[in-house]
Structures are given as structure tokens and as C-alpha cells.
Amino acid sequence: MKVLLAETAGFCYGVKRAVELAETTARECGGCVMLGSIIHNSSVVRRLQEMGVRQVEDVSAVCPGDTVLIRAHGEQKQTIERLRALDIRCVDATCPNVLRLQQIVARADGEGRVPLIIGEPNHPEVIGAASWSEHSVILPGPQAISAWLEEDPARCDLPITAVAQTTCIREIWESSVEILKKECTNAKIFDTICEATHRRQSEAARLAAQVDAMVVVGDRKSANTKHLTEICRERCSRVVQIEEAGEFSPDFLTGCSVAGLTAGASTPACIIKEVYTTMSEEIKTTEQAEESFEELLEKSFKTLNTGEKVTGVVTAIGPTEVQVDLGCKQAGYIAIEELSADPNVKPEDVVKVGDEIETYIIRVNDVEGYAMLSKKRLDAVKVWEDIEEARENKATLEGKVTEENKGGIVVNVKGVRVFVPASQSGQPRGANLSEMIGQTVSLRVTEVNRARRRVVGSIRAVAYEARQAAQAEVWNNIEVGKRYTGTVKSMTSYGVFVDIGGVDGMVHISELSWSRIKNPAEVCSVGDTLDVYVISFDPEKRKISLGVKDRSTNPWDVFMSTYKVGDVASVRIVKLMTFGAFAEVVPGVDGLIHISQIADRRIDKPGDILSEGQVVDAKITAIDEEKQKISLSIRALLTPAAVDEPVAEDVPDEESAEAPVEE
């Protein structure tokens, strides 16, 4: 019998962050107040209380001068406002995923939309998120959604923003989304399920399907622990949820050969370890009790044969060999050179006395009563088995590029040479592959010939899947106004294309800078990093329009705060037209000098007096704030009594004076 422990069991990022904030605040402030349980785990709460953290359930119990911890599940908007009104110092331990959920609900409220939260109505996270809109609707799942829509068919036309409790079961969310997409005409969908929660639930489902019994560790108030238990019970007939090792019953494992162990996101590692140790000791005690005298006697007469795999226990480690108890009359020995493929490794770094070790029998000497063993050869066999299994399961392996070969590169994967053709290296045709030497890469095994010791792999396949996943992530979460940090991939005369994570968006030349530019190369180059935001997007045509301009520094606002009618400005001529000249007053804001206002005499064309790039002084004669247009005059400075021409709105602007350009 053995125990399989889930890799993702225990604290998630949000819970770990909240507990660390609570401990730090308690130490720095000599104690503090937590508003409700910082996380759903009674043992953690007790430990924090011992550190001086006082738990209260309402703001009215907070005293002046207290430092208040906002729990990981977040808090209601009204509570936050009360704390601010009382000028109470707050340490916000709200999980970032929960904070995002609250922000989406608040934004939906500001847009006049109805936030629909899929989750448990009485859970503090859901109650807190719902408080950020007076119109929030909380429904537990697809059946409740169908009933809500059938109750009032007009609700199908409501502008709905759908979100999920961060610990919601994935199947419940996907079924709910399917109904909303089918029935509602104006629904925005935001998948707010925590990715760590999804991985934990998926792993628990896989583990429960392959064991005889499943143990789930976590506080009974924890929603994600409860969901783990529900998921496990759908796939395993014997499941128990406990809070600590003392609740575990030895009889629970009776008749089991494999047991599984997982834990909720609020369960400390020390409790998981204690439960795992308890289960392992119980298994060991049970197996020892079941082993009969006849079986022990039969073991003592067990024969060893060259080429077999055998398991034993390390009993001694010497300078030249490691001694292994094989449970029979022969003693087992592993020469140091047969312990590991690394000739520089120390024996004590590989094994320790008491370790159970699986080895390969090289030679048996029945006369002298010993067997020579090799761990190195068995490891090599296992590596080949792992590689063959990786090919069958299309799993991703990691390795280091060791050399450039004819037609490709060689990657060392666990000591096995894997050839990657140039076409599968993920590099452009003609690239210098020697630059990849020393890099750690991820690849997919495409061909294995164990007899010829030949393995072929593909880096490109892994990169392609990663890019596809990244693109799906972008399209699932994109929204107008969202900001990204991207890389300039290519440039044209009318703009640049920026990679924002597997998806390219276009920044039009007019959105690159407030200043007038003729070519994108004036402000950026291929490979540059740009902070961009989404102006618009079309999922069907797979097109995204991006912007770079900082809207908080609008040049028109700069102009209006600097100049007024009658001021004289030093301007730069940027464009000559038949009817006048456009001049830059401040970067990003141009004014028009009408042809009649260029000189104190009649001229045939502006180019007779002015040239592009020339800097001249001009008087501001008119400002049209609504149309953001400015009239300038050089003539007014030459002839004070000159009569101004009509304002710029009476003549064509620069854009209308030219033929439209197709983007």
C-alpha cells in the first residue's frame, strides 16, 4: 500500500500572502485586529491570536488606533467606507483574484450593467464582491440561472456582466456560461476562477480516479476544500474530509492498496505533513502485521538472477561501495562508479542509510554470498522508459542544448541525446543555431528508436502550443481599456504591430505620439517594448486596435493652461498648404496661419515666405475650444492695426485638405 500526495496541496498564493501580511503586521505593530477570519483555517487563526492578532466580527468593535487586517476573501464596500471614515489604518490582505472580481463588479455597475455572480450566496467572498454594485445578482449555478431567466423573460435582454466565485467548480461555471451565451443577448463573460484553484481541482479529480481511498484535509468552513471533497466523491467511493491528523481513523484504509491525499488552499503545510505521516505509519504498521512467518521464511530463500531488478534498503555507505540489504541470504553491493552517471557526485548526495533503493543485478556470487548491483544502469533504462512514455503521451520534456549538429541541434534530456532538426528548432530559416548552445529548452519527443538509441524531438511544437494557449488567454480576457506590455514586431508607414502575448495588435501612427510624426520609426523600432492599451477589438476578424498615447497628458490641456487669445508664441511650421500654413504651438497641438496673415502684403503662396521646419513668432488671434482649433497671425505682429481673418474653423483643416488615406 502507498500514499499519493497531490503536488498542489496546501497554501495558494493568495492565502500565503494573507498569512504573511498578518504575521508581519502583528510583529511590527505589537498586535492588530482581523475583521473576521483572515483565512478559513482555525489552526492558523489560533496561531495568529497567540501572536496578538485580535479577531472581531464588526467594525463597531474596532478601537481608535487599531490596525485592521482585511481578510483574504475581501470585504464589503460599506465596511471599507466605514473604516476610511473612522480614519482606521488598514492592511489589505485581499487575494488579488478576489480583488479583480470586485473591480469587475464595480466597473459593471459604473457602466449600468447587472453583475451576475456565480457562487455560494452566503460565502464572504461572494457577499463582498456583490456589495460593489446595488444591482448584483448571486446565483449558485446553471439550474438557478435558467429559473431566474424563465421567471422574467425580459432579463434575457439585460446588459449582464457574468463572473464566478474564485473557487467555483469549473464544470458549474462552464455550464452557466453556456446558458448565458444561448439565452442572453447582451452578456459579457469574465472567467474569474483562480487558476491555482482550477489546477488543484483537476489534480484532485485525476488522483481520486486512480486510488481506492481519498483523504481531503482542510477547514470545514473552507469553500475550496468542500469543492475538492465533492469532486473526489464523484470519482472515488471512499472519501473523507478531516481538519487535522487527530481526526484520521486507521480503519479508513482497511482493504486499500493505494490512498490519495490532497488539501484545500487554506491548509498549512505542517498539517498536511502530519496527516501524510500518520497515514504512512498506519500503512506500515498494517503491512507488518499482515506479513506472515511463512512469507518471511520464503523471502530468506529468495534467489537472485543477473539482469533482474531488485529493491533493497541501504545499510552502509563506504568510500568505494554502498551496502544494500536485499532481504535474502546474499548481501548486495553497489560500486561507487555504478551509483550515478555523474562521476563527480558524492555517494551521500545520492543515497542515505535507511533509504529504499531499486537497482539492477550485474552479477551474483552464490559461493561467497553477495550480489553486485548497479543503480546507474537501472536509471538509464528508466530514462528510456520515461522518454518512450513521453512520446506516447505527447508530454513536454526539458533539456539543455549541447551542440549544433548537421541539420539541427542536440539536446541532452536526462542523459539521452535528442536530435532536433533545424526546421523544428523554433528558429527562423538560416538562423545561427550555435547561439542556442547552453540554453535550456522544452521539447516534444516525436520519434524513439531504442535499438539504435535514436531520439528525435521538436521545440517548435511546444512553442506553437504555448503560443496558441497564450492567444486564447488574451482573447478570453481582452477588454477595451485593458493595458498590456508588448513588443514591436513589425512596422509600416501607417503604424506598428505589437505582440501583446501571442496576439498582434496594431497601433496606428496617429496613436503613437501626441506630436506630429511622418513615420513610426521616429518614435520606436522593431524589438522595442511598448506599454499599450486596447482601443477596440474584433474577435471574429481577430483584429485589435491599440493606443500608446497617455490620455492623462493631453496636449490640448497643456496648450489651454499655457496660452490665451492675444499671447505671442514661438511656433514651428509643420505643413504648407495653398490657403496657409499649419504651425506647432506645443507638441501635439497645431494652429493655422491663414495666407492673409503670413505677411503685411499680398503673397501668391505661403512658400514664398515660410518653409517647413522654420520657427517664427505668431500671435494667437482666436481659439475654438469645442473644435480644438487655433488661429495664428504673423501679420498682426508686423502691422498692429491689421484686421484678423476669420478663425480657423472657416477654412479646411489639414486632414480635410488632403485625400483620405486607406489604412
Side-chain angles (χ1 to χ4, degrees):
M1 188 188 297
K2 59 182 179 179
V3 179
L4 302 180
L5 174 62
E7 293 182 5
T8 55
F11 279 1
C12 65
Y13 168 76
V15 170
K16 182 180 178 183
R17 172 179 173 272
V19 174
E20 289 177 350
L21 276 173
E23 293 173 344
T24 302
T25 305
R27 285 193 296 268
E28 293 178 350
C29 301
C32 56
V33 175
M34 57 180 166
L35 200 54
S37 299
I38 188 77
I39 63 170
H40 279 158
N41 189 278
S42 55
S43 65
V44 173
V45 171
R46 283 196 301 271
R47 182 165 58 82
L48 290 174
Q49 288 174 334
E50 292 171 359
M51 295 177 66
V53 180
R54 179 166 57 93
Q55 181 176 348
V56 300
E57 300 302 327
D58 190 77
V59 177
S60 58
V62 178
C63 303
D66 282 342
T67 296
V68 175
L69 286 165
I70 305 298
R71 56 188 169 184
H73 296 107
E75 196 50 78
Q76 296 183 55
K77 179 181 179 181
Q78 299 87 338
T79 301
I80 299 295
E81 291 174 346
R82 285 179 63 190
L83 289 170
R84 288 174 180 169
L86 294 171
D87 198 23
I88 299 293
R89 181 192 173 220
C90 294
V91 176
D92 194 352
T94 305
C95 170
N97 292 306
V98 176
L99 192 60
R100 175 173 176 259
L101 171 61
Q102 293 178 349
Q103 291 169 346
I104 293 174
V105 172
R107 187 163 60 248
D109 186 67
E111 295 172 353
R113 304 182 67 83
V114 177
L116 175 58
I117 305 174
I118 312 300
E120 300 177 22
N122 297 322
H123 194 277
E125 174 192 315
V126 176
I127 295 172
S131 70
W132 292 86
S133 172
E134 296 180 356
H135 309 292
S136 294
V137 177
I138 304 173
L139 297 173
Q143 293 181 347
I145 292 174
S146 297
W148 183 67
L149 293 174
E150 290 172 2
E151 183 181 359
D152 185 356
R155 289 170 176 165
C156 295
D157 297 322
L158 289 174
I160 293 173
T161 295
V163 293
Q165 182 178 344
T166 59
T167 56
C168 180
I169 296 176
R170 173 64 62 180
E171 288 78 7
I172 292 177
W173 167 249
E174 290 177 350
S175 299
S176 301
V177 169
E178 186 177 348
I179 293 173
L180 291 172
K181 286 183 176 180
K182 181 179 178 182
E183 302 293 338
C184 297
T185 59
N186 187 7
K188 287 185 178 180
I189 310 296
F190 292 90
D191 186 348
T192 53
I193 296 177
C194 172
E195 184 59 30
T197 298
H198 176 54
R199 288 198 302 271
R200 189 187 308 273
Q201 292 175 353
S202 299
E203 186 183 14
R206 290 194 301 272
L207 190 59
Q210 55 183 300
V211 300
D212 302 315
M214 195 74 192
V215 178
V216 183
V217 186
D219 197 288
R220 290 181 175 84
K221 296 178 182 177
S222 169
N224 71 80
T225 304
K226 183 181 72 174
H227 290 158
L228 285 177
T229 305
E230 293 170 356
I231 290 169
C232 291
R233 281 178 177 155
E234 291 177 359
R235 294 160 178 82
C236 182
S237 59
R238 193 184 302 188
V239 179
V240 65
Q241 178 183 338
I242 60 176
E243 291 191 356
E244 54 187 22
E247 296 181 20
F248 181 74
S249 171
D251 297 335
F252 180 71
L253 297 178
T254 303
C256 297
S257 59
V258 183
L261 174 62
T262 188
S266 303
T267 308
C270 59
I271 293 181
I272 300 172
K273 183 177 180 181
E274 186 179 359
V275 173
Y276 180 81
T277 302
T278 301
M279 293 175 67
S280 300
E281 290 177 350
E282 182 58 35
I283 289 172
K284 188 174 180 180
T285 301
T286 302
E287 289 178 343
Q288 287 177 347
E290 291 177 351
E291 192 169 41
S292 64
F293 173 76
E294 288 78 9
E295 289 171 331
L296 291 172
L297 186 63
E298 185 179 345
K299 273 188 177 182
S300 67
F301 289 107
K302 181 175 67 175
T303 58
L304 303 177
N305 299 304
T306 300
E308 288 182 344
K309 288 191 293 185
V310 63
T311 301
V313 177
V314 177
T315 55
I317 300 176
T320 60
E321 61 186 14
V322 174
Q323 186 172 337
V324 181
D325 180 4
L326 300 175
C328 59
K329 59 183 180 180
Q330 291 99 337
Y333 297 93
I334 306 174
I336 297 301
E337 59 270 17
E338 291 294 333
L339 191 61
S340 171
D342 185 354
N344 300 317
V345 74
K346 296 179 180 179
E348 53 269 22
D349 293 336
V350 181
V351 293
K352 291 180 174 56
V353 174
D355 285 355
E356 187 175 80
I357 184 172
E358 190 175 20
T359 61
Y360 178 85
I361 300 176
I362 302 175
R363 184 174 72 258
V364 179
N365 189 326
D366 290 326
V367 177
E368 297 186 13
Y370 70 85
M372 297 305 300
L373 312 173
S374 173
K375 180 179 181 299
K376 179 177 71 175
R377 301 186 192 185
L378 184 60
D379 289 344
V381 172
K382 285 185 174 181
V383 168
W384 278 96
E385 291 175 351
D386 291 344
I387 288 178
E388 288 178 335
E389 184 180 350
R391 182 187 64 81
E392 293 174 2
N393 298 332
K394 297 183 178 180
T396 300
L397 299 177
E398 280 194 355
K400 181 175 286 188
V401 180
T402 57
E403 62 183 276
E404 179 187 8
N405 207 340
K406 183 179 180 181
I409 56 175
V410 175
V411 181
N412 184 307
V413 179
K414 300 180 180 179
V416 175
R417 289 165 54 89
V418 179
F419 173 68
V420 179
S423 61
Q424 298 299 316
S425 66
Q427 300 297 312
R429 180 176 295 182
N432 185 5
L433 298 182
S434 62
E435 294 180 355
M436 297 183 66
I437 295 175
Q439 293 182 11
T440 298
V441 295
S442 298
L443 55 81
R444 179 79 44 76
V445 176
T446 57
E447 179 186 337
V448 178
N449 189 325
R450 196 164 176 179
R452 296 177 57 190
R453 302 185 68 79
R454 172 181 168 82
V455 183
V456 180
S458 172
I459 298 173
R460 179 183 174 186
V462 177
Y464 174 77
E465 288 186 4
R467 187 172 179 83
Q468 292 293 102
Q471 289 178 353
E473 177 70 17
V474 171
W475 284 110
N476 287 340
N477 297 287
I478 194 169
E479 56 185 275
V480 173
K482 188 169 185 177
R483 292 191 168 272
Y484 295 92
T485 298
T487 304
V488 178
K489 303 296 289 185
S490 61
M491 304 176 67
T492 67
S493 60
Y494 54 82
V496 299
F497 288 91
V498 179
D499 184 346
I500 57 173
V503 178
D504 289 350
M506 195 197 80
V507 183
H508 191 265
I509 188 171
S510 63
E511 290 294 334
L512 277 171
S513 172
W514 285 109
S515 300
R516 183 185 303 276
I517 59 174
K518 295 182 179 180
N519 192 294
E522 296 178 31
V523 293
C524 63
S525 304
V526 173
D528 285 357
T529 298
L530 290 181
D531 289 326
V532 297
Y533 63 92
V534 178
I535 296 175
S536 63
F537 61 92
D538 187 337
E540 294 183 0
K541 296 182 179 179
R542 294 287 179 174
K543 290 185 178 181
I544 303 174
S545 178
L546 303 172
V548 176
K549 289 179 179 177
D550 185 353
R551 299 293 173 183
S552 64
T553 57
N554 190 325
W556 180 260
D557 296 336
V558 175
F559 167 77
M560 291 299 295
S561 64
T562 308
Y563 295 101
K564 62 183 181 298
V565 174
D567 287 352
V568 177
S570 181
V571 301
R572 182 173 61 90
I573 306 302
V574 295
K575 191 80 169 181
L576 296 177
M577 310 297 289
T578 58
F579 53 82
F582 285 98
E584 183 182 67
V585 185
V586 297
V589 176
D590 296 346
L592 174 67
I593 309 174
H594 192 268
I595 189 170
S596 64
Q597 298 298 312
I598 292 177
D600 55 0
R601 66 184 186 279
R602 184 177 183 82
I603 59 175
D604 294 332
K605 58 183 184 298
D608 293 340
I609 302 295
L610 302 173
S611 59
E612 291 186 8
Q614 182 180 355
V615 177
V616 297
D617 288 338
K619 183 177 181 179
I620 300 172
T621 59
I623 299 174
D624 186 336
E625 291 190 44
E626 183 178 351
K627 296 182 179 180
Q628 294 190 355
K629 292 185 178 182
I630 307 166
S631 290
L632 302 171
S633 175
I634 299 174
R635 178 184 170 191
L637 299 178
L638 301 175
T639 309
V643 178
D644 293 338
E645 291 292 326
V647 295
E649 62 185 327
D650 296 329
V651 296
D653 57 20
E654 181 183 353
E655 286 75 11
S656 62
E658 297 179 341
V661 179
E662 180 175 310
E663 294 184 3

